[in-house]
mmCIF file of all heavy atoms in Angstrom:
data_model
loop_
_atom_site.group_PDB
_atom_site.id
_atom_site.type_symbol
_atom_site.label_atom_id
_atom_site.label_comp_id
_atom_site.label_asym_id
_atom_site.label_seq_id
_atom_site.Cartn_x
_atom_site.Cartn_y
_atom_site.Cartn_z
ATOM 1 N N LYS Y 1032 26.266 -13.469 22.309
ATOM 2 C CA LYS Y 1032 25.528 -12.421 23.045
ATOM 3 C C LYS Y 1032 24.145 -12.230 22.491
ATOM 4 O O LYS Y 1032 23.179 -11.950 23.238
ATOM 5 C CB LYS Y 1032 26.317 -11.080 22.935
ATOM 6 C CG LYS Y 1032 27.559 -11.046 23.830
ATOM 7 C CD LYS Y 1032 28.210 -9.674 23.834
ATOM 8 C CE LYS Y 1032 29.417 -9.661 24.734
ATOM 9 N NZ LYS Y 1032 30.213 -8.422 24.584
ATOM 10 N N LEU Y 1033 24.073 -12.329 21.150
ATOM 11 C CA LEU Y 1033 22.752 -12.139 20.547
ATOM 12 C C LEU Y 1033 21.792 -13.304 20.882
ATOM 13 O O LEU Y 1033 20.588 -13.149 20.834
ATOM 14 C CB LEU Y 1033 22.919 -12.113 18.966
ATOM 15 C CG LEU Y 1033 21.674 -11.794 18.144
ATOM 16 C CD1 LEU Y 1033 21.089 -10.426 18.438
ATOM 17 C CD2 LEU Y 1033 21.978 -11.952 16.611
ATOM 18 N N GLU Y 1034 22.340 -14.447 21.228
ATOM 19 C CA GLU Y 1034 21.489 -15.609 21.507
ATOM 20 C C GLU Y 1034 20.854 -15.523 22.887
ATOM 21 O O GLU Y 1034 20.019 -16.357 23.240
ATOM 22 C CB GLU Y 1034 22.333 -16.919 21.398
ATOM 23 C CG GLU Y 1034 22.830 -17.104 19.963
ATOM 24 C CD GLU Y 1034 22.789 -18.510 19.472
ATOM 25 O OE1 GLU Y 1034 23.756 -19.204 19.747
ATOM 26 O OE2 GLU Y 1034 21.838 -18.946 18.786
ATOM 27 N N LYS Y 1035 21.220 -14.563 23.702
ATOM 28 C CA LYS Y 1035 20.668 -14.389 25.075
ATOM 29 C C LYS Y 1035 19.333 -13.659 24.972
ATOM 30 O O LYS Y 1035 19.258 -12.554 24.477
ATOM 31 C CB LYS Y 1035 21.673 -13.628 25.923
ATOM 32 C CG LYS Y 1035 21.254 -13.533 27.373
ATOM 33 C CD LYS Y 1035 22.387 -12.986 28.225
ATOM 34 C CE LYS Y 1035 21.982 -12.865 29.660
ATOM 35 N NZ LYS Y 1035 21.347 -11.625 30.005
ATOM 36 N N ALA Y 1036 18.282 -14.308 25.433
ATOM 37 C CA ALA Y 1036 16.924 -13.754 25.344
ATOM 38 C C ALA Y 1036 16.832 -12.391 26.049
ATOM 39 O O ALA Y 1036 17.526 -12.162 27.078
ATOM 40 C CB ALA Y 1036 15.917 -14.705 25.979
ATOM 41 N N TYR Y 1037 16.120 -11.485 25.457
ATOM 42 C CA TYR Y 1037 15.840 -10.126 26.009
ATOM 43 C C TYR Y 1037 17.128 -9.302 26.214
ATOM 44 O O TYR Y 1037 17.151 -8.407 27.061
ATOM 45 C CB TYR Y 1037 14.994 -10.182 27.295
ATOM 46 C CG TYR Y 1037 13.594 -10.610 26.987
ATOM 47 C CD1 TYR Y 1037 13.251 -11.966 27.003
ATOM 48 C CD2 TYR Y 1037 12.641 -9.703 26.560
ATOM 49 C CE1 TYR Y 1037 11.949 -12.379 26.618
ATOM 50 C CE2 TYR Y 1037 11.365 -10.092 26.189
ATOM 51 C CZ TYR Y 1037 11.044 -11.435 26.242
ATOM 52 O OH TYR Y 1037 9.775 -11.810 25.841
ATOM 53 N N THR Y 1038 18.174 -9.642 25.432
ATOM 54 C CA THR Y 1038 19.406 -8.854 25.539
ATOM 55 C C THR Y 1038 19.282 -7.482 24.849
ATOM 56 O O THR Y 1038 20.029 -6.585 25.141
ATOM 57 C CB THR Y 1038 20.604 -9.660 24.949
ATOM 58 O OG1 THR Y 1038 21.795 -9.154 25.457
ATOM 59 C CG2 THR Y 1038 20.648 -9.654 23.433
ATOM 60 N N LEU Y 1039 18.260 -7.368 23.976
ATOM 61 C CA LEU Y 1039 18.000 -6.088 23.284
ATOM 62 C C LEU Y 1039 16.666 -5.532 23.727
ATOM 63 O O LEU Y 1039 15.678 -6.270 23.853
ATOM 64 C CB LEU Y 1039 18.014 -6.296 21.795
ATOM 65 C CG LEU Y 1039 19.224 -6.943 21.159
ATOM 66 C CD1 LEU Y 1039 19.033 -7.122 19.654
ATOM 67 C CD2 LEU Y 1039 20.465 -6.106 21.416
ATOM 68 N N ASP Y 1040 16.583 -4.202 23.889
ATOM 69 C CA ASP Y 1040 15.268 -3.586 24.150
ATOM 70 C C ASP Y 1040 14.908 -2.642 23.026
ATOM 71 O O ASP Y 1040 15.674 -2.508 22.041
ATOM 72 C CB ASP Y 1040 15.271 -2.903 25.527
ATOM 73 C CG ASP Y 1040 16.263 -1.799 25.656
ATOM 74 O OD1 ASP Y 1040 16.776 -1.315 24.587
ATOM 75 O OD2 ASP Y 1040 16.535 -1.345 26.784
ATOM 76 N N SER Y 1041 13.831 -1.963 23.161
ATOM 77 C CA SER Y 1041 13.346 -1.098 22.089
ATOM 78 C C SER Y 1041 14.315 0.040 21.774
ATOM 79 O O SER Y 1041 14.330 0.538 20.639
ATOM 80 C CB SER Y 1041 11.928 -0.575 22.390
ATOM 81 O OG SER Y 1041 11.959 0.190 23.554
ATOM 82 N N SER Y 1042 15.130 0.442 22.753
ATOM 83 C CA SER Y 1042 16.038 1.536 22.501
ATOM 84 C C SER Y 1042 17.133 1.153 21.436
ATOM 85 O O SER Y 1042 17.630 1.991 20.722
ATOM 86 C CB SER Y 1042 16.772 1.981 23.795
ATOM 87 O OG SER Y 1042 17.592 0.940 24.272
ATOM 88 N N PHE Y 1043 17.434 -0.159 21.347
ATOM 89 C CA PHE Y 1043 18.357 -0.606 20.314
ATOM 90 C C PHE Y 1043 17.770 -0.384 18.937
ATOM 91 O O PHE Y 1043 18.459 0.078 18.057
ATOM 92 C CB PHE Y 1043 18.608 -2.142 20.580
ATOM 93 C CG PHE Y 1043 19.744 -2.725 19.748
ATOM 94 C CD1 PHE Y 1043 21.044 -2.653 20.212
ATOM 95 C CD2 PHE Y 1043 19.510 -3.364 18.558
ATOM 96 C CE1 PHE Y 1043 22.114 -3.173 19.482
ATOM 97 C CE2 PHE Y 1043 20.543 -3.882 17.788
ATOM 98 C CZ PHE Y 1043 21.861 -3.813 18.290
ATOM 99 N N LEU Y 1044 16.499 -0.653 18.762
ATOM 100 C CA LEU Y 1044 15.823 -0.415 17.476
ATOM 101 C C LEU Y 1044 15.756 1.083 17.216
ATOM 102 O O LEU Y 1044 15.937 1.499 16.065
ATOM 103 C CB LEU Y 1044 14.413 -0.993 17.483
ATOM 104 C CG LEU Y 1044 14.306 -2.495 17.116
ATOM 105 C CD1 LEU Y 1044 14.932 -3.358 18.206
ATOM 106 C CD2 LEU Y 1044 12.877 -2.882 16.878
ATOM 107 N N SER Y 1045 15.498 1.865 18.250
ATOM 108 C CA SER Y 1045 15.399 3.331 18.080
ATOM 109 C C SER Y 1045 16.744 3.868 17.537
ATOM 110 O O SER Y 1045 16.742 4.656 16.611
ATOM 111 C CB SER Y 1045 15.183 4.021 19.445
ATOM 112 O OG SER Y 1045 13.949 3.688 19.956
ATOM 113 N N LEU Y 1046 17.842 3.396 18.077
ATOM 114 C CA LEU Y 1046 19.178 3.865 17.651
ATOM 115 C C LEU Y 1046 19.414 3.504 16.194
ATOM 116 O O LEU Y 1046 19.988 4.275 15.424
ATOM 117 C CB LEU Y 1046 20.280 3.278 18.536
ATOM 118 C CG LEU Y 1046 20.282 3.851 19.983
ATOM 119 C CD1 LEU Y 1046 21.197 3.025 20.875
ATOM 120 C CD2 LEU Y 1046 20.724 5.288 19.996
ATOM 121 N N ILE Y 1047 18.979 2.304 15.778
ATOM 122 C CA ILE Y 1047 19.138 1.885 14.376
ATOM 123 C C ILE Y 1047 18.332 2.807 13.475
ATOM 124 O O ILE Y 1047 18.826 3.276 12.440
ATOM 125 C CB ILE Y 1047 18.754 0.402 14.196
ATOM 126 C CG1 ILE Y 1047 19.699 -0.528 14.953
ATOM 127 C CG2 ILE Y 1047 18.671 0.031 12.710
ATOM 128 C CD1 ILE Y 1047 19.256 -1.983 14.953
ATOM 129 N N GLU Y 1048 17.087 3.078 13.855
ATOM 130 C CA GLU Y 1048 16.224 3.924 13.002
ATOM 131 C C GLU Y 1048 16.700 5.358 12.966
ATOM 132 O O GLU Y 1048 16.418 6.109 12.029
ATOM 133 C CB GLU Y 1048 14.762 3.825 13.507
ATOM 134 C CG GLU Y 1048 14.109 2.502 13.207
ATOM 135 C CD GLU Y 1048 12.673 2.700 12.746
ATOM 136 O OE1 GLU Y 1048 12.416 3.539 11.839
ATOM 137 O OE2 GLU Y 1048 11.819 2.049 13.325
ATOM 138 N N GLU Y 1049 17.439 5.755 13.995
ATOM 139 C CA GLU Y 1049 17.928 7.148 14.054
ATOM 140 C C GLU Y 1049 19.258 7.358 13.364
ATOM 141 O O GLU Y 1049 19.693 8.494 13.194
ATOM 142 C CB GLU Y 1049 18.042 7.622 15.539
ATOM 143 C CG GLU Y 1049 16.739 7.961 16.171
ATOM 144 C CD GLU Y 1049 16.838 8.141 17.666
ATOM 145 O OE1 GLU Y 1049 17.804 7.630 18.278
ATOM 146 O OE2 GLU Y 1049 15.922 8.764 18.257
#
Side-chain angles (χ1 to χ4, degrees):
K1032 285 185 178 171
L1033 185 64
E1034 297 218 276
K1035 185 169 179 274
Y1037 290 92
T1038 200
L1039 304 178
D1040 61 16
S1041 59
S1042 66
F1043 191 85
L1044 276 69
S1045 295
L1046 290 168
I1047 293 173
E1048 287 220 51
E1049 281 169 341

